[in-house]
Amino acid sequence: MDILIEGLTKNYGFQKAVDDISFKVNTGEILGFLGPNGAGKTTTMKMIMGYLDIDEGDIQVGGRSVKGGERDNSTFGYLPEHNPLYLDMPVIDYLEFCAALQKVPKDKIDHQIKRMVKLCGLDEEKHKKIGELSKGYRQRVGLAQAMIHDPKVLILDEPTTGLDPNQIVEIRELIKQLGKEKTVILSTHILPEVEATCDRILIINKGKIVADGTADTLRKQAQGQQVLQVRIEAPGADMVYEALQQLSTVNQVDVLDRDALRFEIQSVGDRKSNAHIFNLCVNNGWILTEMIPFETKLEDIFREVTLN
Amino acid sequence: MNPILIIARRELGSFFDSLVAYIMLIAFLGFSGFFTWLFGGDIFFRKEASLQVFFGVAFWTLFFFIPAITMRQVAEEKKTGTIEMLLTKSITNRQLVLGKWLACFLLVCIALAFTLPYYFTVAGLGDIDHGATICGYLGLLLMSAVYVSIGIFASSLTNNQIVAFLLALIVGIFFHFLFDVVASDSSGMVGELASTLSLSTHFESISRGVIDSKDLIYFVSLTLFGLLMAEFMISKRK
């Protein structure tokens, strides 16, 4: 089910929490929702879930507007921010309660609970009360309740907070696997996470979209010229330095380490210097021991688009 | 299953999982039993087999106990944020309020069911007026329906349980007591109005054994009003 958001706006008093944002998420796509604290991520998700009213604009899920009384919440799986749970309920009872509320047929509830317990790794904890679980396990219960009715759309507000690195990898895999047939929007502060999980990244700041695209396209936009770090085994640093500067594709050469003969090479415009450097070394009988493309990190892009 | 029943079942389960239900049952039965049978003891001195004394006691004990069971209903959900989890599932605000009301009302019904032995005991002592006794119980149930509804409305106004408890008592005291005082002290329009609004007036007329449609309409409409207000408060989010 596609999600189509058009001109979505939400005001809190004079403050615009979400300011005229529009985007589309296709079926089978995992959208990573990024932004600094208070950017409007949670507000947008709450509006998609119908928990907050929409001030202006519209949200359509599968071609139907979420406004008005005709919305069907069982199409959605939602993990709210801070993952609120009934701490006095045992895991199994809680999942049963959620499944019943989401209209899972009675004869399928047991099967679904078993599936989610297995999928979210809750087997050893399933009879404990939720209040007795550690934060990571509570997070798993939150995910399990969101997915118990096999929803077509998953909205996850910071799904991996509080998990240990192993759990994070497991949950990411789980989301990726589920994301193949569902439409997923997840928000996070953890940048490597979006790269690892999401097909597309949307960065919002102060209620506005400031970047939209795959990790690669965002990188390309931010990067500009190609930057390479090379290390060459040759008789002398000066000789190599001069030869590199003579190359037609090279704009600028910096010496990083004179003794180890490591250089940073910036290419001209959108041209690449890899082949030229390789050929230069072959012709002179030098040994090229390292060639590392310097990548703009997502962190840098994030800082660039959200700090001004 | 209907979402109202799913909510009611969870809430009722939660009463019995925590100590709330047991404390409520023990305290209610303790107080009303003590004041009906031991202290004052006028149930034995009325020279008729009647539960009027018990109805008078329960009229007050329920007034205090119902806010204690309704106070956490919405306030706690708001405080812990679980209300967001609930309302983004396939359930309407109305179903949520009705589910919560039903759970609290059923707990009161259970408490009243435990007083049925009083009825059988007194019936064994003499010639009891069955109609009047049934009407007395009906009056207590109708009164409870109103106070549960007011309690849930009070709980939906705040995320603090103590505030919810006190609010329910303050709103309740008007219907329970103050309107009656005003009605007996003033005449004309004001007195008439206060007398119509006073819950105790309607309760007394039912527990005397007279079921008047006017009284029924009063209890039902007050209950519905409380529920609608609670629903409105829940639907009002930022």
Side-chain angles (χ1 to χ4, degrees):
Chain A
M1 255 185 193
D2 311 348
I3 302 173
L4 181 68
I5 293 180
E6 277 175 333
L8 192 67
T9 301
K10 178 82 194 171
N11 302 308
Y12 289 131
F14 293 111
Q15 196 190 1
K16 275 206 157 133
V18 175
D19 188 1
D20 192 22
I21 66 171
S22 304
F23 61 89
K24 189 178 180 216
V25 196
N26 297 315
T27 312
E29 197 172 30
I30 304 178
L31 178 80
F33 216 34
L34 281 178
N37 294 323
K41 301 183 294 275
T42 299
T43 306
T44 307
M45 290 183 148
K46 283 183 178 174
M47 281 193 279
I48 297 174
M49 287 312 300
Y51 185 69
L52 286 180
D53 290 337
I54 298 168
D55 283 352
E56 280 167 51
D58 196 12
I59 300 173
Q60 285 183 11
V61 177
R64 271 165 66 180
S65 173
V66 300
K67 287 202 276 194
E70 286 305 300
R71 66 173 287 135
D72 178 11
N73 271 335
S74 61
T75 10
F76 296 89
Y78 180 44
L79 175 69
E81 193 188 25
H82 308 310
N83 187 23
L85 299 164
Y86 290 125
L87 300 184
D88 55 350
M89 274 181 113
V91 175
I92 291 273
D93 292 4
Y94 180 65
L95 291 179
E96 195 188 335
F97 170 70
C98 291
L101 270 187
Q102 290 291 34
K103 297 177 189 161
V104 177
K106 217 167 185 178
D107 50 326
K108 291 209 176 111
I109 287 183
D110 264 356
H111 171 75
Q112 279 301 95
I113 292 175
K114 271 186 197 139
R115 204 176 136 234
M116 289 327 299
V117 163
K118 206 175 143 208
L119 211 56
C120 297
L122 284 165
D123 206 33
E124 284 169 30
E125 319 286 333
K126 66 185 170 195
H127 294 299
K128 283 191 188 166
K129 281 191 174 176
I130 295 174
E132 294 166 9
L133 302 183
S134 68
K135 195 170 179 210
Y137 276 105
R138 287 186 196 181
Q139 196 71 16
R140 289 168 184 232
V141 176
L143 281 166
Q145 64 84 19
M147 301 185 297
I148 190 101
H149 55 299
D150 217 358
K152 296 197 174 85
V153 178
L154 265 180
I155 311 284
L156 308 172
D157 203 344
E158 302 193 12
T160 54
T161 41
L163 300 181
D164 68 41
N166 295 334
Q167 292 175 328
I168 289 181
V169 173
E170 282 171 32
I171 296 296
R172 272 184 202 161
E173 285 306 315
L174 180 65
I175 293 172
K176 258 182 162 173
Q177 193 192 326
L178 290 165
K180 280 176 196 150
E181 61 226 76
K182 300 183 195 307
T183 315
V184 184
I185 299 182
L186 66 91
S187 79
T188 177
H189 291 297
I190 309 161
L191 294 164
E193 178 160 300
V194 242
E195 273 202 277
T197 340
C198 302
D199 305 314
R200 215 174 101 206
I201 298 170
L202 198 79
I203 304 181
I204 66 169
N205 187 32
K206 292 177 187 153
K208 283 186 156 61
I209 296 178
V210 287
D212 181 3
T214 61
D216 285 339
T217 51
L218 290 186
R219 241 189 231 115
K220 249 178 218 153
Q221 278 169 19
Q223 194 162 30
Q225 295 135 333
Q226 183 196 34
V227 178
L228 293 170
Q229 273 183 21
V230 296
R231 183 171 172 186
I232 294 167
E233 276 181 26
D238 295 336
M239 196 166 62
V240 178
Y241 177 76
E242 299 218 337
L244 284 171
Q245 265 192 329
Q246 303 281 311
L247 292 175
S248 60
T249 55
V250 172
N251 183 25
Q252 198 190 334
V253 181
D254 292 318
V255 183
L256 293 176
D257 186 338
R258 237 188 124 71
D259 300 325
L261 283 91
R262 288 176 62 234
F263 304 93
E264 189 175 279
I265 299 160
Q266 205 180 70
S267 306
V268 181
D270 56 355
R271 300 185 64 180
K272 293 193 187 306
S273 310
N274 311 46
H276 289 94
I277 296 166
F278 179 75
N279 285 333
L280 178 77
C281 294
V282 171
N283 292 341
N284 288 298
W286 302 333
I287 302 162
L288 182 63
T289 52
E290 281 176 21
M291 186 188 284
I292 307 161
F294 179 80
E295 289 200 324
T296 315
K297 285 191 201 127
L298 214 47
E299 275 88 346
D300 300 325
I301 302 170
F302 183 81
R303 285 176 63 85
E304 193 180 314
V305 297
T306 56
L307 274 181
N308 41 37
Chain B
M1 196 165 36
N2 190 311
I4 298 172
L5 296 179
I6 299 172
I7 295 287
R9 197 178 61 172
R10 195 205 87 81
E11 290 301 335
L12 210 55
S14 148
F15 282 138
F16 283 95
D17 278 343
S18 62
L19 288 173
V20 178
Y22 302 104
I23 292 174
M24 150 83 189
L25 290 176
I26 290 169
F28 171 72
L29 293 174
F31 273 107
S32 33
F34 180 74
F35 286 110
T36 306
W37 301 100
L38 301 175
F39 189 77
D42 48 358
I43 195 161
F44 295 117
F45 297 97
R46 291 177 72 94
K47 291 179 180 161
E48 57 169 345
S50 137
L51 275 180
Q52 285 305 319
V53 175
F54 163 68
F55 295 139
V57 173
F59 180 69
W60 279 98
T61 39
L62 285 176
F63 171 69
F64 284 105
F65 282 121
I66 288 173
I69 60 172
T70 56
M71 65 179 187
R72 66 176 265 286
Q73 291 306 312
V74 186
E76 195 184 57
E77 304 260 9
K78 277 186 165 178
K79 187 162 198 154
T80 58
T82 44
I83 193 150
E84 181 180 355
M85 180 275 297
L86 269 183
L87 291 176
T88 49
K89 301 214 181 304
S90 304
I91 178 170
T92 61
N93 299 331
R94 180 165 298 175
Q95 288 167 333
L96 179 67
V97 170
L98 286 175
K100 300 240 171 211
W101 179 86
L102 188 61
C104 297
F105 185 68
L106 284 177
L107 184 59
V108 177
C109 290
I110 293 169
L112 286 175
F114 277 110
T115 66
L116 286 177
Y118 299 180
Y119 175 37
F120 301 131
T121 310
V122 174
L125 293 175
D127 200 11
I128 195 167
D129 181 347
H130 295 286
T133 312
I134 290 168
C135 284
Y137 273 106
L138 180 69
L140 286 179
L141 286 177
L142 287 169
M143 179 191 87
S144 305
V146 170
Y147 286 144
V148 167
S149 158
I150 289 175
I152 286 174
F153 165 55
S155 182
S156 71
L157 289 170
T158 169
N159 56 18
N160 184 321
Q161 296 190 32
I162 306 296
V163 173
F165 176 76
L166 293 175
L167 273 177
L169 275 188
I170 290 167
V171 176
I173 198 84
F174 278 92
F175 293 104
H176 205 72
F177 181 62
L178 290 181
F179 284 138
D180 199 33
V181 172
V182 175
S184 57
D185 279 1
S186 48
S187 53
M189 269 280 284
V190 181
E192 193 85 350
L193 184 71
S195 157
T196 314
L197 283 175
S198 168
L199 191 139
S200 44
T201 318
H202 295 277
F203 175 76
E204 267 160 33
S205 91
I206 283 196
S207 64
R208 268 201 313 269
V210 189
I211 300 177
D212 189 344
S213 59
K214 214 168 63 184
D215 299 323
L216 288 179
I217 290 170
Y218 171 83
F219 285 110
V220 171
S221 54
L222 208 53
T223 306
L224 289 181
F225 182 70
L227 291 174
L228 281 173
M229 290 299 285
E231 185 192 342
F232 173 71
M233 288 313 297
I234 287 176
S235 68
K236 222 179 68 177
R237 298 182 283 261
K238 271 182 237 169

